[in-house]
C-alpha cells in the first residue's frame, strides 16, 4: 500500500501541485517567522552582551534611605572611591545618562521622543571609553563640546568642527562637534540618537551636579563576580542597589524574549489562518481525487485490501505531499526571514542586523506543521475512500458518486451558527471588557457555523447569479450555474477558503475605520484651541514656556495643563491643573452644576459627570486624595462638568497639585490665536523658542492624525498578512476548477460535439469560477460586518466615541477584487477545457 500511495503521488503531480503550494506557503510563513524571531533575538542579545562584556557589577541609586543624609540615594565620588577600594575591583566607570534632543535640519529631534540619549565620556587608564570608540575626531573635554554617534551625525549633516543645536530641558544650546563615536547602545540601534559630553557637563545638563546615574564595576581576572556583588552591597549604604552583570544580562534576555514573543505570536496567528484556509483546499483536492479513483480503490478492495489499508494509503500519500511541500516551504521561509526585517524596518521598527539563526525547533516545527495539517485535512477523504465497495470495480466508468443528503450537516451548521450569533448578541449587552471571551467564542462559532452551512447557502446565491449570467451570456451561464449546483459541498469548500480571509479583512477594516472616526470626534467635540505645544521628551515643559507663549503677539490665550496622579479610596486617578479663568477659550466645557469660578486654591475641584456618577459625588461632596508623595488632601467638589477628553475627570487649580510634584512641569500648553492670526502661528511659536527641538507644536488635525496614525499601518500590515490566506484561497479555486475540468472531460467533449464553441467553454468555466469567488466574498463580507458590529460594543466602554462605520467604498473594492480573483483563477482551467480534443474527450474513461 505504501508503493501504491507513492505511485498515486507521482501519477497526479500536476493535480496536487496547487495543494502543495498551499502547504508550502503556510509552512514558509511558520518557518520564516520562527527563524526571524530567533535571528532578531540573537541580534539583540549580541548587542546587549557586547555592552555588558566588562560589567561585573552595576550600581544604581535604589531609593531606600541612607543612614548618612549627605549620601542619601546619591552616587557621588565618595561612592566611587568606596567601590574602587574593594578587593577584586579592576576599575569603576561612573556613568551619567539623560535626555538630549539633537535638532535635525528642520529643528525636529533626530532620535524621536523616546530615543534621544545623552551620556558622559568616561575614559579609562588608556584615555579611551570602551563604550564609545572614536571613529573621527576626539572626545569632548569642555562644556561647549559634544560628540555624536555616526547615524546622528549623518542625520544632522554636521561635520567635525561644525555646530550642533540641541536642548535638554530648556533653551537651545549650541555645541561644537569634536568627535564621532560608534556605539552598541540599543536605543541608538533602534533609531535613536546619542550625544556624548564630558562628565562635568553631563552632570550639569542632566541635573546631577556631582552625581552619577550608574557605576559600572569591572573585576580583576579570577574574581567571583557574585561574591564581588555581595561585597559592593555591604560596602555601600542602603540607598544603593547592586546587581551582577549576569543578572542584568538575564533580565535583558528576558525582556528581549518578551518583545520578540509578541511579534512571533502575531505572525504565527496569521500563519495559522493561512494553514486553516489550506485545510479546505487539501480536503477538497483529496475528495475529488478519491472520487476520480473510485474504480481503482474498488479494485484494491476486490483483491484483498482492507479498509484500514485504504485509509493508510491515502494518509501516507497526504503525509508525503505534506513533507515535500514543507521542505520546500522551509527553503522559502529562509527568504521570508531575510525580507521580514527589511519590511518592518521600512515601517519604523529599526531592528538590529545580524546573521540568520536556524535552530532545530524552527525546522522541525515547520515540517511537523505541514505534515500534520495535510494528514488531518486528508482524514475525512480517506474515510470516504475506505467506504468504497469492491463491487464498484464493475462500473463502466468513473461516474460521480450520488449526492449525499445535507440534512445532518445543515442541522449541525444551524446549531453552531445559532450559538455563535446568540453569543455575539449577548456580547452587545456588556459595557466593559468582560464580554471579550463571549465575543471570541461567538466569532469562532459563527464562522464555523457559516462554513458548515455554506452548501445550503450556496444554492440560492448560485441560482440568482446563474439567472443573471444566463441572461447576459446565454447557454454558458446556464451551464456554469448547473456545474456549480452539481456539487454544493465542493462549491462551498472552495468558497469557504476565500470567505475566511475576507471575513477577517472586513472585520478588521470596519473596526479600524470606526476607531479612526472615533478619534476624529475626540478632538472635534472638545478641543477649540488652534495649537497644542508640548515637549518632544517625556520630561514635560517648564512653566516658563506657558508664560512666554502668553506674551507672544497674535496669541489670545495660552493655557497650561499640568497632570498629577493620586489615589482616592484605593482607586488611581489623574488631576489636571490649569488656569480656570482661561480654560473655556481653548476647549468646550459645559458645566452641569456648580461654578468653575469656585475652583481655586487648594480646597476645591471640579469633576466630570461620569466620574461623579462612578464615585457617587455631587456638588458639595468631599473628594479624598492621596498623592504619590504620601500626603493627603480632601478638597470640596464645587462643580460637575460634562465629560471632556482634553481635561479628564478631575479639574483643579495648580496650587493643589504643585506641592506634590517632584519637579513642576506642564504636560502641554493649549494656544488660541487672535482672530485672523492662526495661519503661520506654528512657525512663529517655533521661532520664538529659537527652533528648540524640544518644543513640539501640533494643530488639532495633527493630534487626530497622531492618535489614529498607528491604526493605518497596523491595518496595512494585517492586509498584507491576510493576503497570504487570500492567495491560498485563489490557488484553491484554480485547483478545484482544474480538477473539475478533468472530471468532466467526457461531458465537455459531448458539449463540443453538439456545437458549443471553444470561447463558450472558456466562458462557462470563467463564470463558474466567478460564482464561487463572489459567493465566498459576499459570505465573508457579511459575516465580517456582523462580527465587527457585535465586537464594537466592547470598545465603547474604554472608547465612548467609538461608533461603527461601514466603509462601503472599501467593501466595494473587496468585492471587485473577489470578482478579479474569479476571473484570474479561471484563466488556466478555462484554456485547458477549451483545448480538449473533442473525440478523445468523448472516449475518455
Amino acid at each position: 500500500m505504501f508503493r501504491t500511495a507513492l505511485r498515486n503521488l507521482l501519477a497526479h503531480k500536476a493535480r496536487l501541485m496547487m495543494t502543495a503550494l498551499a502547504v508550502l506557503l503556510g509552512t514558509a510563513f511558520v518557518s520564516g517567522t520562527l527563524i526571524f524571531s530567533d535571528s532578531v533575538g540573537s541580534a539583540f542579545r549580541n548587542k546587549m552582551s557586547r555592552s555588558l562584556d566588562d560589567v561585573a557589577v552595576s550600581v544604581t541609586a535604589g531609593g531606600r534611605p541612607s543612614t548618612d543624609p549627605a549620601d542619601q540615594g546619591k552616587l557621588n565620588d565618595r561612592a566611587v572611591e568606596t567601590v574602587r577600594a574593594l578587593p577584586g575591583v579592576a576599575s569603576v566607570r561612573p556613568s551619567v545618562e539623560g535626555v538630549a534632543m539633537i535638532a535635525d535640519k528642520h529643528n525636529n529631534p533626530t532620535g524621536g521622543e523616546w530615543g534621544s540619549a545623552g551620556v558622559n565620556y568616561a575614559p579609562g587608564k588608556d584615555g579611551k571609553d570602551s563604550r564609545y570608540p572614536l571613529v573621527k575626531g576626539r572626545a569632548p573635554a569642555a562644556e561647549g563640546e559634544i560628540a555624536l554617534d555616526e547615524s546622528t551625525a549623518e542625520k544632522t549633516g554636521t561635520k567635525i568642527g561644525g555646530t550642533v543645536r540641541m536642548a535638554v530641558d530648556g533653551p537651545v544650546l549650541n555645541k561644537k562637534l569634536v568627535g564621532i563615536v560608534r556605539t552598541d547602545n540599543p536605543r541608538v540601534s533602534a533609531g535613536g540618537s546619542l550625544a556624548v559630553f564630558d562628565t562635568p557637563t553631563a552632570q550639569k545638563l542632566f541635573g546631577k551636579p556631582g552625581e552619577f546615574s550608574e557605576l559600572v564595576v569591572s573585576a580583576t581576572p579570577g574574581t567571583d563576580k557574585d561574591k564581588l556583588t555581595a561585597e559592593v552591597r555591604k560596602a555601600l549604604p542602603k540607598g544603593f542597589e547592586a546587581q551582577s552583570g549576569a543578572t542584568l544580562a538575564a533580565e535583558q534576555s528576558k525582556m528581549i524574549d518578551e518583545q520578540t514573543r509578541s511579534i512571533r505570536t502575531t505572525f504565527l496567528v496569521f500563519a495559522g489562518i493561512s494553514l486553516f484556509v489550506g485545510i479546505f483546499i487539501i480536503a477538497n483536492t483529496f475528495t475529488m481525487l478519491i472520487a476520480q479513483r473510485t474504480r481503482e480503490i474498488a479494485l484494491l478492495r476486490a483483491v484483498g485490501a482492507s479498509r484500514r489499508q485504504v485509509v493508510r494509503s491515502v494518509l501516507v500519500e497526504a503525509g508525503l505531499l505534506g513533507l515535500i511541500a514543507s521542505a520546500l516551504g522551509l527553503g522559502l521561509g529562509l527568504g521570508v526571514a531575510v525580507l521580514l526585517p527589511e519590511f518592518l524596518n521600512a515601517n519604523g521598527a529599526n531592528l538590529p542586523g545580524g546573521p540568520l539563526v536556524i535552530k532545530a525547533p524552527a525546522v522541525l516545527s515547520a515540517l511537523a506543521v505541514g505534515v500534520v495539517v495535510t494528514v488531518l485535512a486528508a482524514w475525512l477523504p480517506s474515510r470516504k475512500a475506505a467506504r468504497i465497495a469492491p463491487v464498484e470495480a464493475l462500473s463502466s466508468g468513473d461516474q460521480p458518486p450520488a449526492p449525499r443528503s445535507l440534512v445532518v450537516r445543515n442541522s449541525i451548521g444551524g446549531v453552531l451558527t445559532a450559538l455563535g450569533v446568540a453569543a455575539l448578541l449577548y456580547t452587545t449587552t456588556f459595557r466593559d471588557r468582560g464580554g471579550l471571551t463571549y465575543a471570541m467564542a461567538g466569532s469562532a462559532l459563527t464562522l464555523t457555523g457559516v462554513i458548515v452551512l455554506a452548501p445550503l447557502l450556496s444554492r440560492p446565491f448560485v441560482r440568482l447569479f446563474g439567472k443573471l449570467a444566463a441572461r447576459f451570456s446565454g447557454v454558458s451561464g446556464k451551464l456554469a450555474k448547473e456545474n456549480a449546483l452539481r456539487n454544493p459541498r465542493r462549491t462551498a469548500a472552495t468558497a469557504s477558503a476565500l470567505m475566511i480571509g475576507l471575513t477577517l479583512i472586513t472585520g478588521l477594516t470596519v473596526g479600524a475605520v470606526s476607531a479612526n472616526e472615533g478619534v476624529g470626534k475626540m478632538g472635534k467635540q472638545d478641543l477649540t484651541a488652534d495649537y497644542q505645544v508640548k515637549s518632544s521628551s517625556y520630561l514635560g515643559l517648564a512653566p516658563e514656556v506657558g508664560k512666554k507663549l502668553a506674551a507672544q503677539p497674535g496669541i489670545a490665550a495660552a493655557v497650561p495643563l499640568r497632570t498629577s496622579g493620586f489615589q482616592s479610596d484605593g482607586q488611581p486617578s489623574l488631576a489636571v491643573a490649569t488656569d480656570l479663568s482661561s480654560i473655556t477659550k481653548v476647549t468646550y466645557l459645559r458645566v452641569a452644576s456648580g461654578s468653575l469660578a469656585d475652583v481655586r486654591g487648594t480646597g476645591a475641584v471640579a469633576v466630570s459627570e461620569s466620574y461623579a456618577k462612578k464615585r457617587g459625588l455631587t456638588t458639595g461632596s468631599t473628594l479624598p486624595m492621596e498623592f504619590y508623595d504620601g500626603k493627603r488632601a480632601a478638597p470640596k467638589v464645587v462643580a460637575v462638568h460634562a465629560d471632556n477628553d482634553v481635561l479628564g475627570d478631575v479639574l483643579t487649580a495648580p496650587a493643589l497639585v504643585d506641592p506634590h510634584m517632584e519637579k513642576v512641569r506642564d504636560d502641554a500648553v493649549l494656544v488660541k490665536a487672535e482672530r485672523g492670526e492662526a495661519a503661520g502661528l506654528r512657525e512663529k511659536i517655533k521661532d520664538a523658542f529659537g527652533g528648540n527641538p524640544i518644543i513640539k507644536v501640533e494643530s488639532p488635525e495633527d493630534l487626530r492624525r497622531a492618535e489614529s496614525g498607528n491604526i493605518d499601518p497596523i491595518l496595512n500590515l494585517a492586509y498584507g498578512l491576510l493576503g497570504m490566506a487570500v492567495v491560498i484561497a485563489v490557488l484553491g479555486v484554480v485547483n478545484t476548477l482544474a480538477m473539475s475540468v478533468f472530471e468532466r472531460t467526457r461531458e465537455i467533449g459531448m458539449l463540443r460535439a453538439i456545437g458549443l464553441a471553444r470561447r463558450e467553454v472558456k466562458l462557462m468555466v470563467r463564470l463558474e469560477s466567478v460564482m464561487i469567488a463572489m459567493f465566498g466574498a459576499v459570505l465573508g463580507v457579511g459575516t465580517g460586518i456582523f462580527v465587527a458590529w457585535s465586537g464594537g460594543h466592547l470598545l465603547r466602554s474604554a472608547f465612548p466615541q467609538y461608533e461603527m462605520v461601514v466603509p462601503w467604498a472599501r467593501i466595494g473594492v473587496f468585492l471587485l477584487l473577489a470578482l478579479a480573483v474569479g476571473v484570474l483563477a479561471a484563466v488556466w482551467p478555462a484554456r485547458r477545457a477549451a483545448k480538449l480534443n473533442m473525440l478523445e474527450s468523448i472516449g475518455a474513461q
Side-chain angles (χ1 to χ4, degrees):
M1 296 303 291
F2 177 79
R3 288 196 299 270
T4 301
L6 185 59
R7 179 187 64 78
N8 285 329
L9 183 65
L10 296 175
H12 301 102
K13 296 188 292 294
R15 298 185 219 173
L16 291 170
M17 182 177 63
M18 295 298 176
T19 303
L21 280 174
V23 180
L24 184 151
L25 292 174
T27 53
F29 219 155
V30 172
S31 60
T33 298
L34 295 175
I35 294 171
F36 158 76
S37 60
D38 289 339
S39 302
V40 170
S42 175
F44 270 121
R45 287 189 186 88
N46 288 338
K47 281 190 171 291
M48 291 290 188
S49 63
R50 285 198 295 270
S51 65
L52 294 173
D53 278 345
D54 61 344
V55 180
V57 185
S58 169
V59 182
T60 56
R64 288 177 295 177
S66 168
T67 54
D68 185 350
D71 284 340
Q72 186 171 352
K74 296 179 181 179
L75 284 176
N76 50 25
D77 290 332
R78 180 176 175 179
V80 173
E81 295 304 320
T82 300
V83 174
R84 187 173 285 153
L86 294 175
V89 173
S91 65
V92 178
R93 185 178 64 219
S95 173
V96 183
E97 295 184 359
V99 177
M101 294 283 182
I102 307 300
D104 63 12
K105 299 173 183 178
H106 305 288
N107 295 324
N108 296 317
T110 57
E113 298 185 15
W114 298 97
S116 301
V119 298
N120 69 314
Y121 192 87
K125 294 178 181 179
D126 59 356
K128 299 178 181 179
D129 190 332
S130 59
R131 299 172 300 170
Y132 312 115
L134 285 162
V135 177
K136 292 181 182 179
R138 60 175 176 82
E143 184 173 354
E145 298 178 345
I146 189 174
L148 299 175
D149 69 279
E150 293 174 289
S151 62
T152 303
E154 183 178 350
K155 291 175 185 177
T156 60
T158 310
K159 306 295 183 182
I160 298 294
T163 300
V164 176
R165 302 179 66 258
M166 58 156 291
V168 174
D169 189 23
V172 175
L173 302 174
N174 293 313
K175 303 283 184 180
K176 181 181 178 180
L177 183 63
V178 297
I180 296 176
V181 301
R182 186 181 299 114
T183 178
D184 290 323
N185 188 314
R187 291 171 67 182
V188 178
S189 63
S193 64
L194 182 72
V196 184
F197 310 93
D198 65 286
T199 297
T201 300
Q203 290 175 325
K204 179 181 177 181
L205 288 174
F206 304 137
K208 299 177 182 292
E211 296 181 51
F212 305 102
S213 306
E214 179 186 20
L215 303 183
V216 177
V217 183
S218 297
T220 56
T223 301
D224 188 319
K225 296 179 181 179
D226 290 331
K227 289 184 179 180
L228 180 59
T229 303
E231 292 298 323
V232 171
R233 288 196 185 107
K234 290 179 184 178
L236 292 175
K238 293 182 178 179
F240 303 99
E241 181 178 355
Q243 285 184 298
S244 68
T247 301
L248 286 176
E251 290 180 353
Q252 290 178 351
S253 180
K254 183 179 179 181
M255 178 187 68
I256 292 168
D257 286 339
E258 290 175 353
Q259 291 174 344
T260 56
R261 186 183 299 118
S262 61
I263 299 175
R264 181 171 64 246
T265 301
T266 300
F267 283 101
L268 285 178
V269 166
F270 287 99
I273 293 170
S274 299
L275 287 169
F276 181 63
V277 170
I279 287 175
F280 290 88
I281 299 171
I282 299 165
N284 214 16
T285 300
F286 275 93
T287 299
M288 296 174 72
L289 283 174
I290 287 166
Q292 293 169 12
R293 298 200 318 244
T294 299
R295 289 186 65 197
E296 176 186 324
I297 295 171
L299 282 170
L300 288 173
R301 294 280 286 115
V303 297
S306 66
R307 292 178 183 270
R308 182 173 297 177
Q309 286 178 309
V310 172
V311 170
R312 193 179 302 152
S313 173
V314 175
L315 294 183
V316 167
E317 184 179 348
L320 290 173
L321 176 67
L323 184 62
I324 295 170
S326 298
L328 295 173
L330 179 62
L332 183 60
L334 294 175
V336 173
V338 171
L339 295 176
L340 201 52
E342 300 294 332
F343 170 77
L344 293 175
N345 286 336
N347 287 275
N350 293 306
L351 299 173
L356 281 181
V357 177
I358 304 174
K359 296 182 179 179
V363 175
L364 295 176
S365 296
L367 295 176
V369 165
V371 172
V372 169
V373 166
T374 311
V375 171
L376 285 177
W379 172 255
L380 285 178
S382 73
R383 302 292 294 174
K384 293 178 183 177
R387 289 197 293 267
I388 296 175
V391 72
E392 295 188 45
L394 301 177
S395 174
S396 61
D398 291 333
Q399 300 297 325
R404 292 183 291 121
S405 172
L406 292 171
V407 173
V408 175
R409 176 169 179 157
N410 292 340
S411 300
I412 295 173
V415 171
L416 291 174
T417 305
L419 289 174
V421 170
L424 290 175
L425 291 176
Y426 181 56
T427 300
T428 63
T429 64
F430 283 82
R431 293 295 178 265
D432 53 37
R433 296 183 180 177
L436 182 60
T437 302
Y438 293 99
M440 295 175 65
S443 299
L445 285 171
T446 301
L447 187 57
T448 304
V450 171
I451 291 171
V452 176
L453 281 176
L456 177 66
L457 299 174
S458 68
R459 288 176 172 174
F461 178 88
V462 171
R463 285 195 179 99
L464 177 61
F465 193 94
K467 288 182 180 179
L468 295 174
R471 176 173 297 181
F472 292 102
S473 57
V475 68
S476 295
K478 185 175 181 180
L479 288 171
K481 180 191 74 172
E482 296 302 326
N483 289 336
L485 288 174
R486 181 180 305 178
N487 193 331
R489 293 174 185 269
R490 181 187 302 171
T491 299
T494 307
S496 293
L498 185 59
M499 184 204 76
I500 294 167
L502 282 177
T503 296
L504 298 173
I505 288 174
T506 301
L508 287 172
T509 300
V510 172
V513 171
S514 300
N516 266 334
E517 290 292 325
V519 168
K521 289 181 180 179
M522 290 173 63
K524 291 178 181 177
Q525 65 187 23
D526 292 330
L527 188 64
T528 59
D530 294 302
Y531 293 100
Q532 173 183 270
V533 179
K534 61 182 299 187
S535 173
S536 294
S537 77
Y538 58 85
L539 298 175
L541 295 171
E544 292 73 23
V545 171
K547 296 176 182 177
K548 186 172 183 178
L549 284 169
Q552 295 299 310
I555 294 179
V559 183
L561 301 180
R562 194 170 301 165
T563 304
S564 177
F566 70 94
Q567 287 200 340
S568 182
D569 296 330
Q571 298 296 319
S573 302
L574 290 175
V576 176
T578 186
D579 178 6
L580 275 300
S581 63
S582 303
I583 191 63
T584 54
K585 297 179 181 179
V586 293
T587 182
Y588 175 73
L589 189 62
R590 179 180 61 83
V591 179
S593 63
S595 173
L596 290 178
D598 295 332
V599 183
R600 55 180 179 269
T602 60
V605 295
V607 297
S608 67
E609 288 180 320
S610 61
Y611 189 80
K613 182 179 180 181
K614 180 180 177 182
R615 301 298 310 279
L617 300 172
T618 60
T619 304
S621 300
T622 299
L623 178 64
M625 304 174 72
E626 182 179 354
F627 293 92
Y628 292 114
D629 62 355
K631 297 180 181 178
R632 300 174 182 268
K636 183 179 179 182
V637 177
V638 297
V640 177
H641 61 82
D643 289 358
N644 185 293
D645 293 311
V646 176
L647 301 176
D649 291 326
V650 179
L651 191 60
T652 186
L656 176 62
V657 302
D658 285 0
H660 308 288
M661 300 178 72
E662 183 179 350
K663 195 172 185 180
V664 177
R665 283 289 184 269
D666 291 326
D667 295 317
V669 180
L670 301 181
V671 175
K672 185 67 176 179
E674 296 279 3
R675 184 182 297 273
E677 296 291 332
L681 188 58
R682 183 200 303 264
E683 289 72 23
K684 292 178 182 178
I685 292 173
K686 292 286 286 185
D687 291 342
F689 292 93
N692 194 322
I694 286 181
I695 302 299
K696 187 175 182 180
V697 185
E698 299 172 305
S699 67
E701 184 59 33
D702 294 331
L703 295 174
R704 288 191 290 273
R705 194 180 299 114
E707 290 291 336
S708 61
N710 291 329
I711 297 176
D712 287 337
I714 292 173
L715 183 61
N716 292 333
L717 177 62
Y719 282 162
L721 297 175
L722 288 173
M724 183 71 70
V726 175
V727 169
I728 293 175
V730 173
L731 295 177
V733 178
V734 176
N735 203 23
T736 298
L737 290 174
M739 298 186 72
S740 178
V741 168
F742 177 83
E743 189 179 79
R744 302 200 304 262
T745 299
R746 292 183 65 190
E747 178 185 318
I748 293 172
M750 292 294 293
L751 290 172
R752 291 278 291 115
I754 62 176
L756 196 68
R758 292 183 186 275
R759 60 179 181 81
E760 291 176 311
V761 172
K762 286 184 180 180
L763 183 58
M764 175 187 70
V765 177
R766 287 171 186 158
L767 287 174
E768 183 181 355
S769 175
V770 169
M771 286 181 192
I772 294 173
M774 291 304 294
F775 171 60
V778 170
L779 212 56
V781 166
T783 306
I785 291 175
F786 176 68
V787 170
W789 169 78
S790 58
H793 287 75
L794 298 179
L795 292 175
R796 290 198 181 98
S797 59
F799 190 9
Q801 294 79 12
Y802 181 90
E803 184 176 345
M804 180 173 162
V805 176
V806 179
W808 294 112
R810 294 197 193 188
I811 299 298
V813 171
F814 296 159
L815 294 176
L816 288 175
L817 288 175
L819 179 64
V821 163
V823 173
L824 293 175
V827 170
W828 178 60
R831 287 174 60 85
R832 185 172 181 272
K835 287 183 177 181
L836 288 175
N837 183 279
M838 187 187 309
L839 296 177
E840 291 178 358
S841 299
I842 294 174
Q845 296 294 323

